[in-house]
């Protein structure tokens, strides 16, 4: 996208989003903001009823909203059934990074002679691309990235600065890898013998499907034998750990600080809240949601929402209750005894 | 600080710390250690009553301590009301890194032509500083760092090796960013439609106030619209995740492995223990402390100490109690029935 | 290992592993796989009774197994008392990385003049090795790594891409440091005075024993005074945080996302499950195991298995029980009253 394209008329926006325009289509806008913050050259959106209160006062040039909220809108309307989706699409039109990286290999990048490059590949300063790598069309390798030997990165993928892709990793189309993430570090595998640990070389790889995003400083470890496999359209937040031979089904989303132990298989369309932990060798069905910081130690075979933990409370109250938790089995037994005594009396 | 300054007389130390010297001020010392480990050319400190037992045997040249512990001290005293603060100040005088990095741009660094540099800036080997960046006086950009386009780093800030600051990030004075941290990676935002995820470009930035420290491998994500904002004097440990549009008030401290979900606002002078998780869209009042690994899913509107979890115990005991936790609502109902039966009998 | 050595005869394998060969020792194999996936030019292994069902159909050239499973094996047997250990050893023979990195300093690496290099050291592209560093024989410093001033890395150690070793760190023999990990970032130390934080310079270092492995994106912070000390044969997974002045005893293993707060001492032969948190200033005895995501806030003085948390369950069930947890002390008191009432009636 060139600089010029970064202002759009409302009619252009309506056409790109498939929205119904009610108002002045010639007006040009240069950005996107919330109802409350939008200036007269920006578009706002209403995707959550909680913000309906901000609609009457908005100064936005236009508002993306669902048809049933149109009446209350004081400015030009862009009506859509899913205004949050419209917001997502519009946000990408105004993304200052989009198209900003010129193709070409920076002179300080170190690129092995046998690397296969698609069209319009960009490799940033101080990057390293090792022997045998294949980079598809329009791939962007950011500054300071390292792409290990024999890895393959699909067309349209972007590695932000300081990403590490280890050797023999396969990444699909349109991946977005954020800074500091590491794809293909060794899994954690050791045999125990004679009171010490003996390393198991991690001979598998990592395969990422299409449209995968991985957040900053996240780790996806390579398989021990066979690969760690991340499905299509899987979205992984920052500070996540995915151990060796884990499989994540298509369209699942993992929030920040999630940790998944070795060989666990997560289904499709799953959502793991922040800080969730899954033990190793589990099977998690399609459509499972786990709420934040829950620990799952057994397979989950039915879709649904799952949780663990106690909820937070005032520390003094918590101390009293936490002490009682340690007595809980005893409490339950005493209760049963009382019930029996009641029945027999 | 030059090499020479790394030895100091006790009188010099007393003057710098504003301590009362009781003993030989001419004696030179070259470092700092605990009461137990200090050699005769080092200063020790007593800031915690638990270590009072180590005072009589110390071999230190002098001890930083509160006036009421002076009597028991066998060597020269440096009396201060807050000896821990004195220790902090003294530690910085002996920091081998202080002043060690010479100003200048390493020939292997890649610095865009239009970067604005203050006085005495140091840019290390293999670093990348992109177009439009502004680096204030005395800024140190360590080896392998990447500073993204249009970011601004305030005077006296230090980026240790391999830090990533993404585009459009604003950092105040005297920041300390440790290796591997990432400031300004994309927030985790997607619209769901048609069974798949649609990326929301993260158009906001990150603003760090003055005197912020960020630990190694921590992530602070950029805002979706509007900025993620970290106040002045906020201290963030290693392995922390701060999601998009979070706001952290001045003087708050976040221990290792904390995770804060999107748009949550943490007040001033808060302290979050290691591994604490805060759900998204919460408000946490000023002066709140949350103990380690607690999950907070509701706003906290009063200062105080908050906790969740069960405390740890022997696994066999825990198994029995954890089973009972799943029956807890049933236990409570049965107890109520017994109480009613007792009252009616 | 040269390319040629990457195929081995079964007799060669038997000799290297000390296994008893029952079958055709001349057959050459080129890799390792599971019983189910192995092709006729690969070796498989049976180390877990759960996979015994896959033995009769295996197409492997040979199977590593314990003598008592030999009868059921349809192909050549390599009998060993600890076949998992045999698998570990064999995996290393087939590791494509082993011996692959040629010695030498890449022309883009920045290596200070006074660095002391052992025999056959390899320093990758874009790496930085600062003044005063010592690298032992056969050390591999991967692309993009930074080794800070005065650090010392023992013979046979390998730093994968983009590792950061800060100044004054001491690493033993045969360490494996995975991408993105940071050894020697500042500990989290501040004195509080006048409503704000005053940094305590972290003057200690980090000492890693021999045969230590550290996973991707993990942090081991330097000591405040004195060192953070990791014993021999300690294995640390990805996304782990180890705070200042922690000590970890020999042969302990820490799974992903573990966090250990300052000055805690973990014994030898301990195992910490994924996401475990240890508070600061604790003592954990030798031989302690802590199950996943448990929080330990008190010292553990006896070997054994320890746990905290509630186990996960259906969210609706969990909500009811979590509410009751907040009433647990009250429940216990009411139960006691009922018991007393029962005894007195």
């Amino acid at each position: 996208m060139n600089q010029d394209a970064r202002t759009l008329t409302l009619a252009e926006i309506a056409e790109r989003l498939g929205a119904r325009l009610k108002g002045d289509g010639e007006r040009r806008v240069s950005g996107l903001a919330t109802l409350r913050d939008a200036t007269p050259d920006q578009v706002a959106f209403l995707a959550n009823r909680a913000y309906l209160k901000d609609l009457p006062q908005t100064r936005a040039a236009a508002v993306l909203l669902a048809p049933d909220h149109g009446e209350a809108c004081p400015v030009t309307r862009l009506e859509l059934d899913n205004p949050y989706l419209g917001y997502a699409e519009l946000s990408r039109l105004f993304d200052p990074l989009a198209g900003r990286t010129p193709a070409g290999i920076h002179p300080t990048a170190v690129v092995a002679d046998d690397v296969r490059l698609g069209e319009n590949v960009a490799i940033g300063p101080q990057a390293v691309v090792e022997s045998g790598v294949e980079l598809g069309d329009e791939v962007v390798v950011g500054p300071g990235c390292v792409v290990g030997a024999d890895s393959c990165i699909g067309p349209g993928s972007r590695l932000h600065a300081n990403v590490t892709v280890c050797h023999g990793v396969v990444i699909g189309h349109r991946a977005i890898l954020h800074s500091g993430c590491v794809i293909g570090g060794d899994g954690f595998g050791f045999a125990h013998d004679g009171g010490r640990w003996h390393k198991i070389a991690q001979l598998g790889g990592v395969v990422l499907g299409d449209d995968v995003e991985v957040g900053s400083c996240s780790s996806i470890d390579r398989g021990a034998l066979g690969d760690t496999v991340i499905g299509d359209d899987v979205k992984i937040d920052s500070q996540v750990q995915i151990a060796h031979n884990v499989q994540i089904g298509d369209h699942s989303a993992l929030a920040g600080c999630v940790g998944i132990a070795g060989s666990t298989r997560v289904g499709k369309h799953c959502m793991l809240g922040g800080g969730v932990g899954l033990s190793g060798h589990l099977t998690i069905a399609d459509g499972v949601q786990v709420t934040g910081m829950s620990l799952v130690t057994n397979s989950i075979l039915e879709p649904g929402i799952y949780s663990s933990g106690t909820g937070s409370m005032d520390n003094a109250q918590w101390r009293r209750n936490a002490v009682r938790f340690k007595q809980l089995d005893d409490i339950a037994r005493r209760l049963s005894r009382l019930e029996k005594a009641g029945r027999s009396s």
Side-chain angles (χ1 to χ4, degrees), chain A:
Chain A
M1 182 183 295
N2 56 35
Q3 184 60 29
D4 189 53
R6 299 267 292 285
T7 74
L8 295 167
T9 66
L10 295 177
E12 286 169 333
I13 289 174
E15 193 191 337
R16 291 200 195 208
L17 304 188
R20 242 163 334 183
L21 175 72
K22 305 261 177 84
D24 174 13
E26 296 304 301
R27 189 144 168 198
R28 293 194 85 80
V29 291
S30 63
L32 189 61
T34 62
L35 283 169
R36 186 185 286 238
D37 292 340
T39 54
D41 64 339
Q42 291 179 312
V43 176
F45 66 99
L46 175 64
N48 181 333
R49 192 171 287 273
Y51 295 98
L52 192 53
K53 64 181 192 306
D54 294 334
L55 185 57
Q57 282 80 38
T58 191
R59 299 165 58 228
V63 179
L64 286 173
L65 37 56
D68 52 336
H69 290 129
E71 292 300 302
C73 183
V75 295
T76 297
R77 286 126 69 177
L78 291 158
E79 294 185 357
L80 272 171
D81 289 340
N82 185 346
Y84 199 60
L85 177 65
Y87 157 48
E89 293 180 359
L90 194 53
S91 72
R92 297 199 300 272
L93 293 179
F94 287 117
D95 183 358
L97 282 189
R100 178 161 169 165
T101 312
I105 299 177
H106 193 275
T108 62
V110 175
V111 179
D113 290 340
D114 63 349
V115 168
R116 283 167 293 166
L117 300 178
E119 303 280 315
N120 295 317
V121 166
I123 301 179
Q126 321 288 17
V128 177
V129 182
E130 294 186 346
S131 175
V133 166
E134 181 174 350
L135 303 178
D137 295 348
E138 315 280 342
V139 163
V140 176
V141 174
C145 290
V146 177
V147 182
D150 302 322
S151 284
C152 177
I153 300 182
S157 293
R158 173 184 281 265
L159 280 60
H160 285 267
N162 283 334
V163 164
T164 307
V165 173
C166 300
H167 67 280
V169 168
V170 176
I171 296 178
H173 293 220
R174 297 172 300 277
I176 301 175
L177 305 185
H178 288 287
S179 295
C181 75
V182 176
I183 314 297
D186 274 3
F188 195 62
F190 304 91
H192 199 261
D193 189 81
R196 57 182 300 128
W197 300 105
H198 301 264
K199 182 173 176 67
I200 295 170
Q202 302 292 298
L203 303 177
V206 177
V207 177
L208 269 60
D210 294 333
D211 300 298
V212 171
E213 185 157 344
V214 181
S216 63
C217 303
S218 286
S219 302
I220 303 178
D221 293 346
R222 66 190 317 111
L225 294 170
D227 297 324
T228 303
V229 180
I230 310 298
D232 293 338
D233 193 35
V234 171
K235 306 303 184 184
I236 298 172
D237 199 354
S238 304
Q239 302 282 339
V240 169
Q241 192 222 358
I242 298 181
H244 50 186
N245 298 101
V246 165
Q247 298 181 31
I248 312 276
D250 300 345
H251 312 296
S252 287
L254 284 60
C257 307
V258 160
I260 305 182
S263 300
T264 281
R265 300 171 62 162
V266 175
K268 299 179 182 182
H269 298 288
C270 290
M271 294 174 65
L272 305 184
V276 160
L278 306 183
S279 296
H281 299 278
L282 305 184
T283 298
I284 307 296
D286 294 350
V288 166
Q289 295 182 29
V290 184
T291 62
M293 286 180 70
S294 297
L295 170 64
V296 178
T297 56
N298 291 298
S299 290
I300 297 178
L301 303 177
E302 297 294 329
I305 306 177
Y306 297 84
S307 302
S308 73
T310 69
S312 62
M313 63 209 83
D314 173 81
N315 178 262
Q317 180 192 9
W318 173 79
R319 281 176 181 274
R320 288 192 300 270
N321 293 322
V323 164
R324 298 301 189 180
F325 180 84
K326 297 192 184 186
Q327 307 163 352
L328 194 50
D329 184 51
D330 182 56
I331 287 171
R333 288 172 190 279
R334 286 158 52 202
L335 179 62
S336 294
R337 276 197 296 271
L338 273 189
E339 287 172 328
K340 274 185 207 159
R343 279 195 292 276
S344 64
S345 70

